């Protein structure tokens, strides 16, 4: 294989993730883990706060607070 720098390796890894996990709902967690600022087909820039998922309603009703 050709010599790749660190940035190119990350791009290639992302391509493989897209191939493997695109329709499985796993890409969100890949983007979260890598701190991706722009997500395909999403117009806003992502910030850390947008990667935090809300607690399920049942958890809130059971007394868990976020």
């Amino acid at each position: 294989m050709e010599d790749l720098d660190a940035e190119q390796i990350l791009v290639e890894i992302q391509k493989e993730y897209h191939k493997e996990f695109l329709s499985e709902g796993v890409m969100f967690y890949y983007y979260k883990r890598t701190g991706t600022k722009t997500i395909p087909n999403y117009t806003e820039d992502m910030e850390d706060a947008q990667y935090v998922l809300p607690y399920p309603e049942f958890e809130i009703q059971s007394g868990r607070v976020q």
Side-chain angles (χ1 to χ4, degrees):
M1 188 175 227
E2 60 202 67
D3 293 329
L4 301 175
D5 65 11
E7 184 67 29
Q8 292 169 327
I9 291 172
L10 292 176
V11 168
E12 292 300 319
I13 290 172
Q14 185 172 359
K15 286 180 188 177
E16 291 300 315
Y17 263 83
H18 276 280
K19 290 178 193 176
E20 293 292 325
F21 302 118
L22 185 61
S23 63
E24 295 180 16
V26 177
M27 289 306 298
F28 172 81
Y29 297 102
Y30 170 79
Y31 294 137
K32 180 179 179 177
R33 184 174 59 249
T34 59
T36 302
K37 297 295 180 195
T38 56
I39 294 178
N41 300 320
Y42 188 70
T43 57
E44 298 178 28
D45 287 343
M46 294 295 286
E47 298 176 7
D48 289 341
Q50 292 171 293
Y51 280 117
V52 177
L53 297 175
Y55 279 113
E57 189 64 33
F58 177 77
E59 292 286 331
I60 295 170
Q61 292 173 352
S62 299
R64 182 145 192 182
V65 292
Q66 189 165 358

